Amino acid sequence: MRGMKMTTENQTFTEKFDLLGCIQCGRCTGGCPVTVRTNLNVRRFVYDAYNEDLLEELSRVADIWDCTACHTCAVRCPKGLKPLEVLIGLRSLVVESGKTEPTVRDALESTFMEGNPWNKPRATRNDWMEGLDVIVAEPEQKVENLFFVCCTIAYDPRVQVTARNIVNLLNKAGVDYAFLGTDETCCGSEIFTLGEDGLFEMLIEDNTEMLNEYQADRIVALSPHCFTTFNTHYPDLNKPVIHYTQLLAELLEQKKLAFKDGLEKKIVYHDPCYLGKQSGVFEEPRSVLKAIEGVELVEFGRNRERSLCCEGGGGKMWVESESKIERLAETRVKDARALEADIIAAACPFCVLTLDDAVKAEGFEEEMRVAEIMEILGELEVMQEKPSSAQEVED
Amino acid sequence: MTEKPKLGVYICHCGINIAATVDVEAVTEFAQSLPNVVVARNYSYMCSDPGQLLIKDDIQESGLNRVVVASCSPRMHEPTFRKALQEAGLNPYYLEMANIREQDSWVHQDREEATAKAKELVAAAVAKVRLLEPLTPREVDAEPAALIIGAGIAGIQAALDIGDAGFKVYLVEQSPSVGGRMAQLDKTFPTLDCSACILTPKMVDVANHPNIELLAYSEVEEVSGFVGNFDVKVRKKARYVDVSKCTGCGDCAEACRVAGRFPNEFEEGMGKRGAIYLPFPQAVPAKYTIDPERCLFLTRGRCGKSPKCVDACQPGAIDFEQKDEIVTFKVGAIIVATGFDVFDAAKKPEYGYTEFPNVITGLEMERLVSASGPTGGEILVDNGEEQIVPKEIAFIQCVGSRDQSVGNEYCSRVCCMYTAKQAHLIKDKIPDAKVKVYYIDVRAFGKGFEEFYDRVRREGIRYVRGNPSEIFKRGNKLIVKVEDTLTATPLEDEFDLVVLAVGLEPRADDRKTIDLLRLSQSPDRFLMEAHPKLRPVDTASDGIFLAGCCQGPKDIPDTVAQAKGAAASALIPLARGKVSIDAQVAGVIEDTCRGCGFCVSICPYTAIELVEINRMGHMVEVARVNEALCKGCGSCSAGCLSNSIQPKSFRDRQILPQIAALGGIK
């Protein structure tokens, strides 16, 4: 089930965020990962925002920009509230008043004009495809898997490899797929968390209309942010959305995919908040990694539902925290180092970027590296399992 | 109807409940204008003695033969007014009620519209009441015996009360021993009575009581019939031990080849048992049982050269040939006392219950502090590296309670107090321990509870207001991530042991009982009482009562009180020896019934069967209603293809004019 439609009209702040449902138990702030390095106390905001006269003042507190939208507070809340959305609501007041940081303003403007928050022209969205044999979708053409790349993967040279490698894998495995190409527009995940309600609603409308035109069985998102945003904020989407690790796990399970080479490495998998905590996809990425011969898969002490946020979400790509205290991504790579892992595997472009920076900051480049799962798979020879003769006869 | 209808219409103010929204004078005036209405009156409280007297006097003085009362729902006061009619010499079923409270004044604001609606409801009732027939309730004999399902403290108490009143009790318990959850507890709050010390005498009493037949290790398989006359079928599961020979010496359990291999359910898996076992030393009956899923001989057909239990048992009680036994009997009333499950802490993965051996549940803590528990009462935990006596201990309240994320919105009512008690017991056993209780609200509402909470705090138990969000490990310490909400301080506190104060849930196997007895559940999934305030131990089915935690979380005093209430209610038909059967049931027009049996399959109360009759020399099948089972719901009527089965007082020719009147059709 996809989320409820946004109903903002005629609702007070208190009604919109169900502030009266709160029992002030503190599970939100108790679970909030950034409390170890910032002053953010989300429970206090839920408590104080009940007083509508205080909203303006609260929106000026810098702490509201420390939230990474990991959603731990929402997942843990015993009353079904989403405390982080109170912070987003306060950010909206700032965005409405036009007093945002220039970086945020640029990201929003770029999304409005070019369909991506990275100040890149729409025309170059397909540049990552260069030299690859990519099938680009046509609306009327029937296809099983319609791929949604994500702005960050499409434009950021560090993570473009995710898309490039999956194209190679799909071609070799004979999967029925197509990519959206320059039609693809930002899903709005970060636009929502930055508080630009209006723009987010516009993206939902336009993307729903655009995606619904395609004759595809399902949408496969490369980024957990797009994946979860579609599933929670796009009520009128007419096809299911899965994450690419779910597709790979399915191909492996159906024996339509196998890896020829092995990899003698110790890998620790980092659960992205948007994939794990928020959407409950814990096992598929692990099963993909376990399918590689020779891989020793180890676990962080804080894994799955207790995974530590990398601080990449919630619009934090455009808002820097002032805290000088160790970043969570740095804590994470130190934990990985203690496990003597060779590779920190991630399945999210933001996690790759933040963890990569943390490896550099800690000076662990010699000992370990951060890799998107597709980056690891790209180094292996892929085999398409031959269908059995019985199946051929049936076909 | 031969005599001319003479109607009385009575409009109730219900204080201001109706009168504030409905113009009762206008409705009265309107009623007077309706055909056949002889008198119409309004009064402040029709249900009061003077109100009823108005009706009785009019019946006698004006010769009324039909009465309409426009007041509350018939569920509330239909019995009251029927009684008034009867006392005035009129058939009680010559009454029709117009619900102008629940269906009108309470749900509308506009006085004019509400008044208009009240008039329509009254007109509709008047249209129907003329067509009602006299009905006579019947009485049948009640079997002077009761069935009690579940032998925890609720079932035990109810059995003792009914047995002491001189009636036969069949007490059925599915596990090998009576005692239930209370037997697992160490001390009880707030008095710190030893749970076993106050429970075991009652356990022994039910086993020895001349009026109580204890059917332990047994399950109810079938219940049919109705209040006063239930037929019950019980399966006595094979123990593979001849209870008439078993002395309870325990030589078999010591000898068992797989002794100490399997988690002992009574010890919450912390202690071990073999394939032949006594759940706990004070078990009643004190007879051993062979677990058929664990026993080598029963699962594989051989156990060494010969089963060791057989060799060890001097009285020769082991009997691998024993089979399940079916017992049938009749009872007049049934009490359901099936108890609860504790919340499965694995459903909150953020607390790492399945991962860390030193994160335990409240019930595990009970066994750990109990002198008869797996550690002999010494508080010892595994911190992942070694067995230690914990010095820093946390309690987390509301685990699985007040929590929509796991589907349990309710408060479990016992966790605040059992936590306070366990904190006290720990402080008693480990005086230098630092104990913290993380809470949202402390609910110390029972007798002596607040006083106990005060005492425990003064003993140095630190109460921190904040519900922890997760537990992870750092070195060999558990880290509790929590906010102290009173100081707005996010904390990462270190502990050796965390006790999750898990809440109470409906039993996973409740479904079986619900289907067996056709019970209802309230939104919290516990079994539903007939009325939350006035009929708290009754169910919607006559003669079936609820006791203890199957109806909702409660502590021992409340459970015992409810058990005594259920026993008293169950005793009513037993002591009276008769039960009356409502006359407003379905009736079959045998001349037109085609015997298709559609109504038989529709009836939710299995009240209809097909019988053979002689119709003008031909043997044909027709439907027949068991009036004692029928609830008059009308499902059969809605389904009948030939309009041959209809509930009395709700026949088509009675309700169609009523509906027509509502639609403004004359």
Side-chain angles (χ1 to χ4, degrees):
Chain A
M1 273 296 289
R2 295 209 167 86
M4 299 272 290
K5 279 188 192 184
M6 298 242 285
T7 49
T8 48
E9 282 132 90
N10 307 323
Q11 267 187 319
T12 64
F13 204 85
T14 300
E15 287 165 350
K16 184 173 174 189
F17 302 109
D18 191 19
L19 300 182
L20 298 177
C22 174
I23 56 169
Q24 293 290 312
C25 71
R27 265 194 218 163
C28 46
T29 296
C32 177
V34 300
T35 54
V36 297
R37 59 184 305 264
T38 75
N39 291 324
L40 175 63
N41 185 327
V42 65
R43 178 190 58 79
R44 284 297 307 273
F45 282 98
V46 173
Y47 187 72
D48 291 338
Y50 172 57
N51 183 347
E52 305 252 339
D53 297 335
L54 274 182
L55 291 179
E56 159 68 26
E57 191 184 325
L58 290 173
S59 74
R60 279 186 270 118
V61 180
D63 300 354
I64 64 169
W65 297 96
D66 286 328
C67 171
T68 66
C70 71
H71 281 67
T72 305
C73 54
V75 173
R76 303 274 163 79
C77 176
K79 298 293 171 188
L81 271 64
K82 292 178 178 158
L84 81 148
E85 293 191 356
V86 174
L87 301 175
I88 295 172
L90 293 170
R91 289 179 182 183
S92 295
L93 299 179
V94 180
V95 172
E96 270 169 37
S97 72
K99 289 176 192 150
T100 47
E101 305 255 332
T103 45
V104 172
R105 188 196 57 217
D106 292 350
L108 298 175
E109 259 179 33
S110 163
T111 306
F112 182 67
M113 303 297 291
E114 300 295 336
N116 74 80
W118 294 110
N119 288 314
K120 304 281 185 185
R122 182 182 284 278
T124 63
R125 195 171 182 106
N126 279 0
D127 284 6
W128 64 270
M129 295 182 183
E130 206 179 309
L132 289 173
D133 190 9
V134 186
I135 303 168
V136 177
E138 299 291 337
E140 63 279 5
Q141 173 200 344
K142 271 187 111 61
V143 65
E144 195 182 332
N145 301 293
L146 182 64
F147 275 77
F148 194 92
V149 175
C150 163
C151 305
T152 308
I153 295 173
Y155 291 108
D156 192 306
R158 170 64 187 86
V159 285
Q160 280 174 341
V161 62
T162 308
R164 293 183 61 85
N165 286 0
I166 205 159
V167 167
N168 285 329
L169 181 142
L170 295 169
N171 285 339
K172 282 187 198 159
V175 175
D176 182 16
Y177 79 91
F179 280 73
L180 280 162
T182 49
D183 258 9
E184 189 178 298
T185 299
C186 180
C187 71
S189 161
E190 303 308 285
I191 307 307
F192 171 63
T193 57
L194 284 169
E196 191 16 319
D197 281 355
L199 179 55
F200 184 48
E201 272 175 51
M202 188 193 90
L203 292 171
I204 293 173
E205 255 173 56
D206 292 355
N207 277 328
T208 302
E209 195 184 330
M210 182 269 291
L211 291 167
N212 283 355
E213 274 178 24
Y214 282 88
Q215 302 286 307
D217 294 342
R218 59 186 176 184
I219 296 167
V220 184
L222 295 190
S223 164
H225 286 250
C226 313
F227 164 60
T228 297
T229 302
F230 284 140
N231 279 320
T232 53
H233 290 285
Y234 282 65
D236 297 326
L237 214 50
N238 66 4
K239 32 186 129 355
V241 184
I242 62 168
H243 185 247
Y244 84 84
T245 54
Q246 294 176 299
L247 171 66
L248 296 190
E250 186 185 295
L251 293 172
L252 287 164
E253 167 96 23
Q254 295 169 349
K255 305 218 180 296
K256 288 179 182 164
L257 175 69
F259 308 118
K260 206 190 242 170
D261 309 327
L263 186 67
E264 298 292 326
K265 295 285 183 198
K266 197 182 214 179
I267 300 182
V268 61
Y269 173 67
H270 164 83
D271 287 282
C273 298
Y274 273 71
L275 192 60
K277 231 172 241 170
Q278 291 181 41
S279 290
V281 180
F282 297 112
E283 300 314 319
E284 289 91 333
R286 288 177 169 83
S287 69
V288 171
L289 291 168
K290 279 188 218 156
I292 308 168
E293 213 182 289
V295 163
E296 185 193 346
L297 187 65
V298 294
E299 291 285 354
F300 283 113
R302 302 169 77 174
N303 63 60
R304 292 184 171 83
E305 291 89 351
R306 282 172 291 155
S307 179
L308 186 63
C309 174
C310 77
E311 292 187 87
K316 295 297 290 176
M317 287 287 160
W318 298 274
V319 190
E320 190 52 74
S321 281
E322 283 168 16
S323 171
K324 297 283 175 277
I325 297 168
E326 180 178 279
R327 288 166 195 268
L328 300 182
E330 287 164 14
T331 310
R332 207 62 170 158
V333 302
K334 278 186 181 168
D335 288 347
R337 186 70 202 102
L339 290 166
E340 296 181 330
D342 303 308
I343 302 174
I344 306 178
C348 166
F350 292 156
C351 295
V352 170
L353 294 169
T354 52
L355 293 169
D356 232 13
D357 284 350
V359 167
K360 285 176 197 145
E362 293 294 322
F364 291 155
E365 293 108 311
E366 298 284 311
E367 294 89 353
M368 65 160 88
R369 67 184 177 111
V370 177
E372 220 285 342
I373 289 181
M374 277 318 304
E375 223 172 319
I376 301 170
L377 300 187
E379 292 157 20
L380 311 170
E381 182 75 17
V382 169
M383 298 190 297
Q384 181 188 2
E385 209 94 335
K386 287 276 172 274
S388 72
S389 53
Q391 277 173 318
E392 275 174 341
V393 171
E394 271 174 25
D395 287 345
Chain B
M1 177 170 189
T2 47
E3 52 176 343
K4 191 174 176 302
K6 292 172 88 175
L7 274 64
V9 180
Y10 300 88
I11 291 115
C12 182
H13 302 189
C14 197
I16 55 163
N17 276 297
I18 292 169
T21 321
V22 171
D23 181 348
V24 289
E25 289 297 342
V27 178
T28 311
E29 210 170 292
F30 168 77
Q32 271 158 355
S33 72
L34 293 169
N36 306 122
V37 173
V38 178
V39 273
R41 299 181 195 276
N42 62 70
Y43 187 67
S44 54
Y45 291 99
M46 281 309 304
C47 59
S48 66
D49 270 352
Q52 293 183 48
L53 201 61
L54 282 178
I55 302 176
K56 291 184 202 168
D57 288 349
D58 284 346
I59 291 172
Q60 271 149 11
E61 285 159 26
S62 311
L64 299 182
N65 53 21
R66 294 291 188 278
V67 174
V68 168
V69 181
S71 58
C72 49
S73 159
R75 280 179 65 98
M76 190 75 211
H77 276 309
E78 194 173 56
T80 312
F81 296 117
R82 276 190 185 157
K83 207 159 139 260
L85 265 62
Q86 191 163 26
E87 283 165 7
L90 204 58
N91 186 286
Y93 290 88
Y94 279 152
L95 168 79
E96 184 63 23
M97 291 187 71
N99 181 356
I100 59 166
R101 192 178 74 173
E102 284 86 343
Q103 292 177 356
D104 191 1
S105 68
W106 276 0
V107 290
H108 297 297
Q109 269 125 38
D110 187 296
R111 191 172 165 87
E112 209 165 294
E113 285 180 353
T115 303
K117 181 171 177 180
K119 286 178 184 171
E120 280 185 28
L121 289 168
V122 168
V126 165
K128 181 183 174 190
V129 77
R130 288 177 288 177
L131 305 164
L132 291 177
E133 305 153 302
L135 303 174
T136 317
R138 288 197 304 129
E139 287 215 319
V140 294
D141 290 340
E143 190 70 26
L147 162 69
I148 297 175
I149 307 173
I153 182 58
I156 288 173
Q157 186 59 56
L160 289 174
D161 282 8
I162 296 174
D164 285 350
F167 293 93
K168 173 89 182 173
V169 177
Y170 298 92
L171 179 59
V172 178
E173 166 59 44
Q174 68 174 1
S175 61
S177 171
V178 303
R181 293 291 182 194
M182 187 175 168
Q184 289 180 284
L185 308 181
D186 182 49
K187 302 269 196 306
T188 57
F189 62 78
T191 50
L192 300 176
D193 290 296
C194 155
S195 186
C197 311
I198 57 176
L199 176 67
T200 43
K202 286 181 184 284
M203 290 165 59
V204 174
D205 284 351
V206 287
N208 296 337
H209 202 291
N211 285 339
I212 299 175
E213 185 168 337
L214 176 58
L215 298 161
Y217 205 49
S218 300
E219 284 178 38
V220 180
E221 288 217 320
E222 263 179 50
V223 175
S224 58
F226 51 93
V227 57
N229 294 276
F230 292 108
D231 289 295
V232 184
K233 187 167 129 189
V234 171
R235 177 180 295 271
K236 285 176 78 173
K237 293 178 282 186
R239 282 182 192 255
Y240 303 102
V241 171
D242 184 340
V243 290
S244 66
K245 292 182 184 161
C246 175
T247 61
C249 68
D251 289 347
C252 53
E254 266 176 49
C256 178
R257 273 204 171 78
V258 287
R261 291 270 194 90
F262 312 116
N264 182 344
E265 296 81 354
F266 181 80
E267 300 293 358
E268 288 297 297
M270 293 189 296
K272 300 278 192 254
R273 63 165 170 86
I276 186 161
Y277 68 107
L278 192 67
F280 53 103
Q282 307 93 326
V284 172
K287 308 290 178 188
Y288 279 74
T289 305
I290 294 178
D291 181 342
E293 281 164 25
R294 305 288 198 187
C295 171
L296 292 175
F297 190 80
L298 286 170
T299 52
R300 297 183 197 173
R302 61 186 292 272
C303 172
K305 278 205 181 85
S306 79
K308 285 200 166 187
C309 53
V310 175
D311 302 341
C313 181
Q314 288 184 0
I318 311 292
D319 175 11
F320 285 111
E321 299 300 312
Q322 201 175 74
K323 296 272 179 291
D324 289 2
E325 197 185 322
I326 302 292
V327 192
T328 59
F329 49 85
K330 273 178 100 72
V331 296
I334 298 172
I335 294 176
V336 181
T338 47
F340 64 93
D341 281 343
V342 290
F343 174 75
D344 176 8
K347 289 185 194 158
K348 293 202 69 72
E350 61 267 34
Y351 290 149
Y353 171 68
T354 53
E355 195 176 338
F356 309 126
N358 45 346
V359 174
I360 66 171
T361 68
L363 198 53
E364 287 166 356
M365 191 69 209
E366 289 293 334
R367 298 314 303 150
L368 211 49
V369 289
S370 169
S372 66
T375 56
E378 200 183 344
I379 300 170
L380 274 176
V381 293
D382 174 2
N383 70 355
E385 290 169 13
E386 54 181 340
Q387 289 282 324
I388 55 158
V389 174
K391 289 296 164 69
E392 291 171 306
I393 298 156
F395 284 87
I396 300 181
Q397 301 268 246
C398 299
V399 177
S401 309
R402 307 179 71 192
D403 191 343
Q404 281 178 16
S405 73
V406 292
N408 294 344
E409 289 187 45
Y410 55 86
C411 163
S412 286
R413 292 172 54 110
V414 294
C415 325
C416 282
M417 293 316 292
Y418 82 59
T419 293
K421 173 202 72 184
Q422 290 180 353
H424 162 84
L425 295 176
I426 287 172
K427 205 70 184 160
D428 204 33
K429 296 203 171 189
I430 315 171
D432 60 338
K434 288 189 182 130
V435 183
K436 276 189 186 175
V437 176
Y438 296 102
Y439 71 100
I440 306 175
D441 302 291
V442 174
R443 294 181 169 173
F445 52 84
K447 189 167 180 170
F449 289 10
E450 184 67 19
E451 296 89 326
F452 185 72
Y453 170 45
D454 284 343
R455 167 182 169 183
V456 167
R457 282 196 328 277
R458 291 208 168 89
E459 286 170 356
I461 309 299
R462 184 76 180 145
Y463 273 73
V464 179
R465 196 195 173 283
N467 198 242
S469 199
E470 68 188 54
I471 299 172
F472 56 92
K473 237 180 145 182
R474 197 175 283 153
N476 59 9
K477 292 282 186 180
L478 293 168
I479 306 297
V480 169
K481 205 164 146 39
V482 61
E483 182 200 7
D484 180 339
T485 59
L486 295 182
T487 58
T489 317
L491 302 166
E492 292 189 353
D493 288 346
E494 290 189 354
F495 294 99
D496 300 316
L497 169 65
V498 177
V499 184
L500 306 177
V502 286
L504 276 49
E505 283 197 323
R507 286 187 67 97
D509 59 8
D510 262 354
R511 184 79 263 170
K512 225 168 49 186
T513 319
I514 290 165
D515 291 344
L516 195 66
L517 300 170
R518 291 175 288 277
L519 301 172
S520 307
Q521 289 166 289
S522 30
D524 58 12
R525 311 186 313 287
F526 286 98
L527 301 182
M528 190 157 83
E529 62 285 344
H531 189 283
K533 292 189 175 61
L534 299 178
R535 298 181 67 194
V537 304
D538 308 61
T539 65
S541 303
D542 293 340
I544 302 180
F545 305 93
L546 304 175
C549 290
C550 64
Q551 181 259 346
K554 40 183 83 60
D555 59 8
I556 296 168
D558 283 1
T559 295
V560 172
Q562 201 190 16
K564 285 180 157 291
S569 295
L571 278 168
I572 295 171
L574 272 47
R576 232 184 115 221
K578 289 199 180 302
V579 287
S580 44
I581 308 294
D582 190 4
Q584 220 165 275
V585 292
V588 179
I589 305 162
E590 289 189 351
D591 291 346
T592 55
C593 175
R594 300 189 294 191
C596 70
F598 197 29
C599 55
V600 177
S601 58
I602 290 173
C603 177
Y605 303 99
T606 59
I608 312 174
E609 57 181 350
L610 290 180
V611 295
E612 216 166 60
I613 61 158
N614 184 329
R615 187 186 281 162
M616 303 169 81
H618 298 279
M619 296 307 288
V620 291
E621 282 199 321
V622 294
R624 184 157 293 168
V625 177
N626 180 336
E627 298 195 343
L629 283 177
C630 177
K631 298 276 170 204
C633 72
S635 305
C636 53
S637 176
C640 181
L641 303 168
S642 59
N643 290 333
S644 300
I645 187 163
Q646 295 196 350
K648 294 171 185 167
S649 296
F650 289 90
R651 296 184 196 279
D652 287 355
R653 60 181 164 80
Q654 294 165 330
I655 60 170
L656 289 176
Q658 182 181 26
I659 295 166
L662 279 175
I665 303 162
K666 296 287 174 224

